[in-house]
Amino acid sequence: MADDIIKVKTDKSVAEALDALEAAIGNAGATVFARIDHAAGAEKIGDSIPANQVLIFGNPKIGTPAMKIDPLAGLFLPLKVQAYEDAQGQVWLSYEDPKETFDELDDVENSPAVEVMQGALKKLTAAAAQ
């Protein structure tokens, strides 16, 4: 499973990295649907974890072709990227390789739509990490 996860190192804080990612997503014409703050959730139960947030986003121009191939692709969409601080204080942007995400849906896994998703995630996380 860990080899299915792509990690991009950044010198930004978790919040700064996701702010930059959110801006890059908007500039790319995609929509941010939600931002989840896992550390804030831990605080609500009186516990704590290092900074950890997830951004959920999508673009119908990219997701619709996958769902036309197999409606079950909708179980894995929209896309998401996590920003988290590890035990050493390093911040990472991470996401699952879309080829692995859709590996149970052979026709989707091997479609051009997945290549577009891979390229978009690579470009967006690289921009956010700078």
Side-chain angles (χ1 to χ4, degrees), residues 74-91:
L75 284 172
F76 307 105
L77 295 170
L79 299 172
K80 60 186 174 223
V81 172
Q82 177 189 37
Y84 70 97
E85 183 180 321
D86 69 16
Q88 290 73 43
Q90 178 60 57
V91 174

Side-chain angles (χ1 to χ4, degrees), residues 40-101:
E43 286 178 15
K44 287 182 181 180
I45 63 162
D47 209 341
S48 66
I49 59 172
N52 189 326
Q53 296 182 19
V54 174
L55 203 63
I56 300 171
F57 61 95
N59 184 333
K61 290 180 183 178
I62 297 174
T64 300
M67 288 187 278
K68 285 179 75 174
I69 295 167
D70 189 332
L72 288 174
L75 284 172
F76 307 105
L77 295 170
L79 299 172
K80 60 186 174 223
V81 172
Q82 177 189 37
Y84 70 97
E85 183 180 321
D86 69 16
Q88 290 73 43
Q90 178 60 57
V91 174
W92 299 89
L93 292 163
S94 62
Y95 60 92
E96 184 174 25
D97 182 344
K99 190 144 184 82
E100 299 300 326
T101 303

